[in-house]
Amino acid sequence: MPADVRSQACAYARNGRVAVVSASPAEDAGRRAGHVIAYVAGQSGTYQVTLGRRGWSCTCGDAGSCPHAAAVQLVTGHDGLARKPGESR
Ligand SMILES: [Zn+2]
């Protein structure tokens, strides 16, 4: 992922811009396939980020490289865009 997306994600998480409505622990991912609903207060609006059976999605339309999903992944402890390769918890 581009470095600016990672830094944006970290900024959202650090500044409390992420509101998690519902989340299963990352450890439950195998058992319950993972489930997250969260809102991120972005620069031009609030985006809804969800993790469901088909993976991450974001109302900005590009969860594959957007900082909103990455920020939610940081906050909820899920593996995702913002995690460094090889990083351990
Ligand atoms: Zn987004």
Side-chain angles (χ1 to χ4, degrees):
M1 72 192 277
D4 62 327
V5 173
R6 178 181 169 82
S7 63
Q8 283 183 64
C10 291
Y12 285 139
R14 189 170 58 241
N15 295 329
R17 307 284 285 275
V18 180
V20 177
V21 177
S22 172
S24 64
E27 291 75 17
D28 284 355
R31 186 153 50 93
R32 297 181 55 197
H35 172 78
V36 173
I37 300 173
Y39 292 92
V40 177
Q43 292 173 343
S44 57
T46 299
Y47 301 95
Q48 183 182 35
V49 176
T50 58
L51 172 62
R53 292 178 178 273
R54 283 182 285 179
W56 292 93
S57 66
C58 177
T59 51
C60 79
D62 187 12
S65 61
C66 83
H68 316 116
V72 173
Q73 289 158 4
L74 277 176
V75 169
T76 58
H78 284 78
D79 289 331
L81 296 170
R83 185 177 295 274
K84 293 176 184 172
E87 183 179 5
S88 62
R89 288 191 258 164

